[in-house]
Amino acid sequence: QVQLVESGGGLVQTGGSLRLSCAASGRTLSSYVMAWFRQAPGKEREFVAADSRSGDNTYYADSVKGRFAISRDNAKNTVYLQMNSLAPEDTAVYYCAASLSGSYYLYDYWGQGTQVTVSS
C-alpha cells in the first residue's frame, strides 16, 4: 500500500513554469513505475509522463514532449513534474500514479490531484 499526495499546482500565465511534487508514504518509490496524468474539464484523463523504477527511462505524451520533465528522488520518496512553457491547454487537474507491477498502462495507486490553471 502506498499513499500519494500531489502539491505544487496553481495559477500561472502562459509561458510560465510550475513544478509538481508527488510525495509517497507507505512504501519506497523505487518499487514503482511512476506516472503523471491529467484531466481537463469535460475531457478524459490522459497520460502525461512516466518514469521507470530506476529513473533511467522516461516517456512523454507528444503534447508535452520537450516542455515537461518527470524525475524522482527515491531518497525523498518523491516524484516531480517540471512543466515549462505552459499553455492554456495544459490547464487540468494533475494526478500522480504508481504501478507496482511495472506496467506503464495499469496503475495501482493514485493521488487526489492538484489543479493547474494556465491563463492566456
Side-chain angles (χ1 to χ4, degrees):
Q1 187 84 11
V2 65
Q3 293 78 42
L4 304 173
V5 179
E6 302 97 334
S7 61
L11 175 64
V12 64
Q13 291 185 334
T14 295
S17 298
L18 281 175
R19 188 176 81 154
L20 305 183
S21 299
C22 173
S25 60
R27 194 163 178 167
T28 177
L29 275 187
S30 60
S31 301
Y32 296 89
V33 163
M34 297 299 298
W36 288 92
F37 289 77
R38 67 186 181 185
Q39 187 167 20
K43 295 187 176 181
E44 293 187 354
R45 185 169 58 195
E46 65 174 358
F47 168 79
V48 175
D51 185 36
S52 64
R53 288 181 174 123
S54 65
D56 291 340
N57 298 295
T58 55
Y59 305 92
Y60 297 95
D62 288 343
S63 59
V64 306
K65 203 170 293 184
R67 300 187 299 123
F68 290 12
I70 187 172
S71 62
R72 66 168 72 202
D73 185 337
N74 284 336
K76 294 183 178 180
N77 239 26
T78 301
V79 175
Y80 304 98
L81 185 69
Q82 178 66 43
M83 306 186 296
N84 300 323
S85 302
L86 284 162
E89 52 265 36
D90 296 315
T91 295
V93 177
Y94 283 72
Y95 300 89
C96 69
S99 169
L100 181 59
S101 68
S103 169
Y104 288 94
Y105 301 98
L106 297 175
Y107 291 84
D108 304 288
Y109 304 104
W110 295 81
Q112 84 290 348
T114 185
Q115 176 71 47
V116 171
T117 303
V118 185
S119 64
S120 57

